[in-house]
Amino acid sequence: MSLPSSVRIVEVGPRDGLQNEKQSINVADKVRLIDDLSAAGLSYIEVGSFVSPKWVPQMAGSAELFAQIQQLPGVTYAALAPNLKGFDGALAAGVREVAVFAAASEAFSQKNINCSIGESLERFVPLMEAAKQHGIRVRGYVSCVLGCPYEGTIAPAQVADVARELYNMGCYEISLGDTIGAGTAGETRRLIEVVGSKVPRNKLAGHFHDTYGQALANIYASLLEGIEVFDSSVAGLGGCPYAKGATGNVATEDVLYLLNGLGIETAIDLDKLIAAGQRICTVLGRESGSHVARALSRLQTKELTAQKTR
Amino acid sequence: MSLPSSVRIVEVGPRDGLQNEKQSINVADKVRLIDDLSAAGLSYIEVGSFVSPKWVPQMAGSAELFAQIQQLPGVTYAALAPNLKGFDGALAAGVREVAVFAAASEAFSQKNINCSIGESLERFVPLMEAAKQHGIRVRGYVSCVLGCPYEGTIAPAQVADVARELYNMGCYEISLGDTIGAGTAGETRRLIEVVGSKVPRNKLAGHFHDTYGQALANIYASLLEGIEVFDSSVAGLGGCPYAKGATGNVATEDVLYLLNGLGIETAIDLDKLIAAGQRICTVLGRESGSHVARALSRLQTKELTAQKTR
């Protein structure tokens, strides 16, 4: 058994998370969340998205966000940019790193962004060129890597092809997303083996959803395959375990608890992270989607009760 | 990577699960649950407990249960028996397999059963002798194997000593219980290494709680260490994710989904298992604690909605 000595967590709560919450929140609360996260030691935060507010109203105001957050040295503040127009918006807002996304499933690509996988990749060419000109790093997402809501099973070789395309285009890292959260540990290992034969493993990241409760087992399986970067969402934002239609981003707190237990370094403060999650949950009026946050809050409640009844 | 080709699941929902639910249910509903579980292919079901109803009122009527359930051939119907009196009660009810329990933590033993670990083990001597006389198999539980709510960290060597004692006494299998659900994958592997040096690994079982969301990662870690038996609770009975004070038995559905994905044989029908869980949840008036059951029920709801709106 060989595990990485350190792991980088890509915090996607403010973007991927809030985008999928029913309730939209104001810029000040988002700024507070992002500043809380950087103060907790997160070194990579996906802040927002430069897409049309017509498509994703929750992501309006991303330029304001970048202007108002406290940008700490050593922390990467990234934004999603689906095309050159989005990239230009991000650039104007001072963004230094962007992310692009493609699907590993043709059906999902058609339904989600109304074009084929090949067409979606072609659209990135001018964006990648512009990014290169301006010295902006680009991260690539591949969705539906362990299953598609429309097609079902997705062949690992197909994921590998899309990942390889993004890598060849200039993405410095490829995040493999189990969008429907249906993958299990064995499938995760096979996926990494296959994709890892086309893209160096140290350029791959894991992005797991906990919809079927498998996310931490899949992360552990990925660690055993040498993956050192994982996307997660504070408080499980974007997937409320108490609501129908939950999408199920794995909670950053739960990932960190696993990594701490394995003795893997992250430089993140669990207490501060939990506090950041509790604050945004209060704003949203929902309970945390993190098992760890809920378990520890119960412990604290018991201690408080014990103190009060003494 | 070497995984077992088949796994046996010990279904503890009717006993460990219902015992920890606030609401008690009637014998008929328990009978239905147990019969649903055996019909779903579970080959081992912990039916009830022969303890004083003064201590655990939810377990009253275990003798009635054994009389009323449909006992399928090839299925083990077991009962917890804390002492000789309980054993005699179980024997009179026709029980052919019992379980005994000890803690790996002195503080937990004192607070839970008001005696030291050593004293609790001594109490089992007459029970074990009686069991041998009557040809009754005895399974042993060790609790707090990855942490104690009072002592905190528990040394794996201490767990190994208690497990070894139970094994030497005649328990054919020792179930290692992470009572507070705080263990992580690396600790799980070390625990199995240490305990496995005192008790053969094929005599060990894993009993994980999902309180900190780590149960499936711990089960995957255990599988990698050669463990082939796991305890779990249908619908996560005994740990309601929507209530404060949840204890968090891992849901059988989620374990089965993991095992299915790994291609590990169990002979359990996931659909029937989910239906059994949904039925008992309806009786209890709670949502299922199984991620898989909730995810699939959302899919079905969507399909139904789609059908209705056509």
Side-chain angles (χ1 to χ4, degrees), chain A residues 25-72:
Chain A
I25 64 169
N26 64 39
V27 169
D29 284 321
K30 282 192 197 175
V31 168
R32 177 62 192 264
L33 171 63
I34 293 159
D35 288 347
D36 282 351
L37 290 167
S38 60
L42 265 310
S43 64
Y44 192 115
I45 303 170
E46 207 177 66
V47 168
S49 179
F50 288 84
V51 297
S52 165
K54 268 187 276 181
W55 299 350
V56 190
Q58 293 92 327
M59 288 297 111
S62 284
E64 270 179 280
L65 269 187
F66 273 91
Q68 292 183 30
I69 55 174
Q70 192 191 351
Q71 300 206 18
L72 300 186

Side-chain angles (χ1 to χ4, degrees), chain A residues 182 189 220 242 245 257 262 298, chain B residues 182 186 189 220 242 245 257 298:
Chain A
R189 296 187 83 154
Y220 182 60
Y242 305 101
Y257 187 90
L262 293 168
R298 283 192 297 268
Chain B
R189 296 188 80 153
Y220 182 59
Y242 305 101
Y257 187 90
R298 282 192 297 268

Side-chain angles (χ1 to χ4, degrees), chain B residues 189-209:
Chain B
R189 296 188 80 153
R190 282 191 293 278
L191 177 74
I192 293 166
E193 280 167 21
V194 174
V195 180
S197 69
K198 296 282 187 82
V199 177
R201 285 191 195 205
N202 63 2
K203 304 296 181 190
L204 296 177
H207 179 113
F208 295 102
H209 282 200

Side-chain angles (χ1 to χ4, degrees), chain A residues 176-204:
Chain A
L176 303 173
D178 182 10
T179 311
I180 59 172
T184 54
E187 293 150 333
T188 300
R189 296 187 83 154
R190 282 191 293 278
L191 177 74
I192 293 166
E193 280 167 23
V194 174
V195 180
S197 69
K198 295 283 187 80
V199 176
R201 285 191 194 204
N202 63 1
K203 304 297 181 190
L204 296 177

Side-chain angles (χ1 to χ4, degrees), chain A residues 21-131:
Chain A
E21 292 285 333
K22 279 177 189 163
Q23 195 188 339
S24 68
I25 64 169
N26 64 39
V27 169
D29 284 321
K30 282 192 197 175
V31 168
R32 177 62 192 264
L33 171 63
I34 293 159
D35 288 347
D36 282 351
L37 290 167
S38 60
L42 265 310
S43 64
Y44 192 115
I45 303 170
E46 207 177 66
V47 168
S49 179
F50 288 84
V51 297
S52 165
K54 268 187 276 181
W55 299 350
V56 190
Q58 293 92 327
M59 288 297 111
S62 284
E64 270 179 280
L65 269 187
F66 273 91
Q68 292 183 30
I69 55 174
Q70 192 191 351
Q71 300 206 18
L72 300 186
V75 178
T76 300
Y77 299 90
L80 204 70
N83 48 36
L84 190 58
K85 191 179 169 196
F87 177 84
D88 289 340
L91 196 66
V95 177
R96 303 299 303 156
E97 169 147 346
V98 300
V100 298
F101 55 92
S105 149
E106 282 294 352
F108 191 86
S109 189
Q110 288 291 353
K111 296 225 182 191
N112 194 38
I113 52 175
N114 204 29
C115 66
S116 71
I117 298 171
E119 285 164 351
S120 77
L121 293 170
E122 274 166 36
R123 285 183 195 171
F124 296 142
V125 175
L127 186 159
M128 297 303 299
E129 280 170 11

Side-chain angles (χ1 to χ4, degrees), chain B:
Chain B
M1 177 176 68
S2 150
L3 291 168
S5 59
S6 70
V7 152
R8 178 159 56 83
I9 289 185
V10 169
E11 171 59 51
V12 300
R15 201 281 304 169
D16 189 19
L18 291 180
Q19 175 179 321
N20 290 299
E21 292 285 334
K22 280 177 189 164
Q23 195 187 338
S24 69
I25 65 170
N26 64 40
V27 169
D29 284 322
K30 281 191 199 175
V31 168
R32 177 64 192 262
L33 170 63
I34 292 158
D35 288 347
D36 282 351
L37 290 167
S38 61
L42 266 309
S43 64
Y44 192 116
I45 303 170
E46 207 177 66
V47 167
S49 179
F50 288 83
V51 298
S52 165
K54 268 189 274 180
W55 298 350
V56 189
Q58 293 93 327
M59 288 297 111
S62 283
E64 269 179 279
L65 269 186
F66 273 91
Q68 292 183 29
I69 55 174
Q70 192 191 351
Q71 300 205 19
L72 301 185
V75 177
T76 301
Y77 299 90
L80 204 70
N83 48 37
L84 190 57
K85 191 180 169 196
F87 177 84
D88 289 340
L91 196 66
V95 177
R96 303 299 306 156
E97 170 147 346
V98 300
V100 298
F101 55 92
S105 149
E106 282 294 353
F108 190 86
S109 189
Q110 287 292 351
K111 296 225 181 193
N112 193 39
I113 52 174
N114 205 28
C115 67
S116 71
I117 297 171
E119 284 163 352
S120 76
L121 294 170
E122 275 167 35
R123 285 184 195 172
F124 296 142
V125 175
L127 185 158
M128 297 302 299
E129 279 171 10
K132 204 172 176 181
Q133 268 179 17
H134 293 90
I136 305 289
R137 298 209 308 170
V138 184
R139 190 170 192 251
Y141 282 108
V142 185
S143 63
C144 298
V145 300
L146 288 167
C148 165
Y150 312 112
E151 287 184 25
T153 307
I154 298 292
Q158 193 168 327
V159 180
D161 287 344
V162 179
R164 175 82 185 174
E165 286 281 330
L166 287 171
Y167 185 66
N168 284 349
M169 233 176 234
C171 290
Y172 76 94
E173 183 171 277
I174 313 296
S175 171
L176 303 174
D178 181 10
T179 312
I180 59 172
T184 53
E187 292 149 334
T188 299
R189 296 188 80 153
R190 282 191 293 278
L191 177 74
I192 293 166
E193 280 167 21
V194 174
V195 180
S197 69
K198 296 282 187 82
V199 177
R201 285 191 195 205
N202 63 2
K203 304 296 181 190
L204 296 177
H207 179 113
F208 295 102
H209 282 200
D210 205 32
T211 320
Y212 290 74
Q214 309 293 315
L216 287 192
N218 292 345
I219 288 173
Y220 182 59
S222 303
L223 289 166
L224 292 172
E225 293 293 331
I227 301 301
E228 298 179 1
V229 183
F230 295 95
D231 302 355
S232 60
S233 177
V234 65
L237 290 178
C240 176
Y242 305 101
K244 299 282 179 189
T247 52
N249 270 300
V250 68
T252 307
E253 297 92 322
D254 297 359
V255 177
L256 182 59
Y257 187 90
L258 169 67
L259 297 173
N260 286 347
L262 292 167
I264 295 173
E265 185 54 48
T266 61
I268 302 167
D269 182 320
L270 181 58
D271 290 338
K272 287 185 183 170
L273 178 65
I274 289 174
Q278 299 293 21
R279 189 174 286 117
I280 189 66
C281 285
T282 303
V283 171
L284 289 165
R286 53 163 283 191
E287 250 201 283
S288 175
S290 157
H291 289 86
V292 169
R294 292 203 303 269
L296 292 176
S297 94
R298 282 192 297 268
L299 283 184
Q300 283 164 359
T301 308
K302 274 188 198 166
E303 277 165 23
L304 281 175
T305 313
Q307 279 172 13
K308 282 177 186 162
T309 52
R310 246 172 232 155

Side-chain angles (χ1 to χ4, degrees), chain A:
Chain A
M1 178 175 69
S2 149
L3 291 167
S5 59
S6 69
V7 151
R8 177 159 57 81
I9 289 184
V10 170
E11 171 58 51
V12 300
R15 200 282 303 170
D16 190 18
L18 291 180
Q19 176 181 320
N20 290 301
E21 292 285 333
K22 279 177 189 163
Q23 195 188 339
S24 68
I25 64 169
N26 64 39
V27 169
D29 284 321
K30 282 192 197 175
V31 168
R32 177 62 192 264
L33 171 63
I34 293 159
D35 288 347
D36 282 351
L37 290 167
S38 60
L42 265 310
S43 64
Y44 192 115
I45 303 170
E46 207 177 66
V47 168
S49 179
F50 288 84
V51 297
S52 165
K54 268 187 276 181
W55 299 350
V56 190
Q58 293 92 327
M59 288 297 111
S62 284
E64 270 179 280
L65 269 187
F66 273 91
Q68 292 183 30
I69 55 174
Q70 192 191 351
Q71 300 206 18
L72 300 186
V75 178
T76 300
Y77 299 90
L80 204 70
N83 48 36
L84 190 58
K85 191 179 169 196
F87 177 84
D88 289 340
L91 196 66
V95 177
R96 303 299 303 156
E97 169 147 346
V98 300
V100 298
F101 55 92
S105 149
E106 282 294 352
F108 191 86
S109 189
Q110 288 291 353
K111 296 225 182 191
N112 194 38
I113 52 175
N114 204 29
C115 66
S116 71
I117 298 171
E119 285 164 351
S120 77
L121 293 170
E122 274 166 36
R123 285 183 195 171
F124 296 142
V125 175
L127 186 159
M128 297 303 299
E129 280 170 11
K132 202 171 179 184
Q133 268 179 17
H134 292 89
I136 305 291
R137 298 210 307 170
V138 183
R139 190 169 192 254
Y141 282 107
V142 185
S143 63
C144 299
V145 301
L146 288 167
C148 165
Y150 312 111
E151 288 184 26
T153 307
I154 298 292
Q158 193 169 327
V159 181
D161 287 343
V162 178
R164 174 80 185 177
E165 286 281 329
L166 287 170
Y167 184 66
N168 285 348
M169 231 176 235
C171 290
Y172 76 93
E173 184 170 279
I174 312 297
S175 171
L176 303 173
D178 182 10
T179 311
I180 59 172
T184 54
E187 293 150 333
T188 300
R189 296 187 83 154
R190 282 191 293 278
L191 177 74
I192 293 166
E193 280 167 23
V194 174
V195 180
S197 69
K198 295 283 187 80
V199 176
R201 285 191 194 204
N202 63 1
K203 304 297 181 190
L204 296 177
H207 180 113
F208 295 102
H209 283 200
D210 205 31
T211 320
Y212 290 73
Q214 310 292 315
L216 287 192
N218 292 345
I219 289 173
Y220 182 60
S222 304
L223 289 166
L224 292 172
E225 292 293 333
I227 301 300
E228 299 180 0
V229 183
F230 295 96
D231 303 355
S232 61
S233 176
V234 64
L237 290 179
C240 177
Y242 305 101
K244 299 282 179 189
T247 52
N249 270 300
V250 67
T252 308
E253 297 91 323
D254 297 359
V255 178
L256 182 58
Y257 187 90
L258 169 67
L259 296 173
N260 287 347
L262 293 168
I264 295 173
E265 184 55 47
T266 60
I268 302 167
D269 183 320
L270 180 59
D271 290 339
K272 287 184 183 171
L273 178 65
I274 289 174
Q278 300 292 22
R279 189 173 287 117
I280 189 66
C281 284
T282 303
V283 171
L284 289 165
R286 54 164 280 190
E287 250 201 283
S288 176
S290 158
H291 289 85
V292 169
R294 293 202 304 269
L296 291 176
S297 95
R298 283 192 297 268
L299 282 183
Q300 283 165 0
T301 309
K302 275 188 198 164
E303 277 165 22
L304 280 175
T305 313
Q307 279 172 14
K308 281 177 187 164
T309 52
R310 246 172 231 156

